[in-house]
Amino acid sequence: MNLRNDPHGRGVDTASILPPVTHDHPVRAQGNRLVAVADLDERRVVEVETAEHGVLAVGVTADDVPFATSNVCRHQYAKLGRGRVTDDGCLECPWHRADFNVRTGAMTAGPKGRIFGFKPYSAAFKAVGNAFRLRTFPVEVRDGAIWLRD
């Protein structure tokens, strides 16, 4: 891992394929208004802290479909709101690149990489991960922002 310090003194992995996360804390929801779509960066997902549901991963897919899911990867508990949305509309874990369907919460691809990408391990974890899907929440875009539906 190649680390450098960003202006705030945090270590940033310069070898990562993902852009660095530019915030330390989740965005705070304002009631049912989660986040403005314009505030999403190229990762298309952000962590949003809600009063009722805790911290959620909130974003839009490549075809502009909004989503909100639980924020914890089923593999090793990474914060999914710090990952990215892939071109095929999956939420990718920032640690080991497991993919989740944002509509159903199902793991569509198990962890990847030298160790966790070992095909039998990845397949087994995908099966376990699907037994414990991400929780999904109904959302809509209104006035340029993603809102939880009542």
Side-chain angles (χ1 to χ4, degrees):
M1 189 179 307
N2 301 323
L3 292 179
R4 66 169 168 78
N5 284 330
D6 72 0
H8 304 287
R10 299 173 297 219
V12 176
D13 180 1
T14 59
S16 174
I17 61 169
L18 301 175
V21 174
T22 57
H23 58 288
D24 283 332
H25 304 286
V27 173
R28 288 192 187 260
Q30 299 170 355
N32 283 351
R33 184 186 184 279
L34 300 176
V35 65
V37 173
D39 290 345
L40 298 173
D41 62 18
E42 63 272 10
R43 294 177 312 107
R44 296 191 298 251
V45 64
V46 67
E47 295 178 282
V48 177
E49 184 177 352
T50 68
E52 187 176 345
H53 304 294
V55 178
L56 304 177
V58 178
V60 293
T61 62
D63 54 351
D64 295 323
V65 175
F67 67 87
T69 70
S70 50
N71 191 41
V72 179
C73 179
R74 300 302 188 229
H75 177 230
Q76 287 191 329
Y77 313 112
K79 296 177 179 180
L80 293 172
R82 294 185 178 205
R84 72 180 184 103
V85 179
T86 63
D87 290 338
D88 62 354
C90 289
L91 180 55
E92 184 179 75
C93 174
W95 286 358
H96 303 113
R97 298 186 346 257
D99 292 331
F100 295 88
N101 180 311
V102 295
R103 290 173 185 88
T104 67
M107 185 181 284
T108 59
K112 300 167 191 75
R114 285 187 193 163
I115 296 170
F116 298 115
F118 179 60
K119 288 189 184 206
Y121 175 88
S122 186
F125 207 88
K126 180 180 170 189
V128 170
N130 279 329
F132 303 98
R133 294 175 181 227
L134 298 178
R135 187 168 174 204
T136 60
F137 300 87
V139 292
E140 63 188 355
V141 174
R142 251 187 351 230
D143 302 323
I146 300 172
W147 293 71
L148 281 171
R149 277 195 249 149
D150 296 330

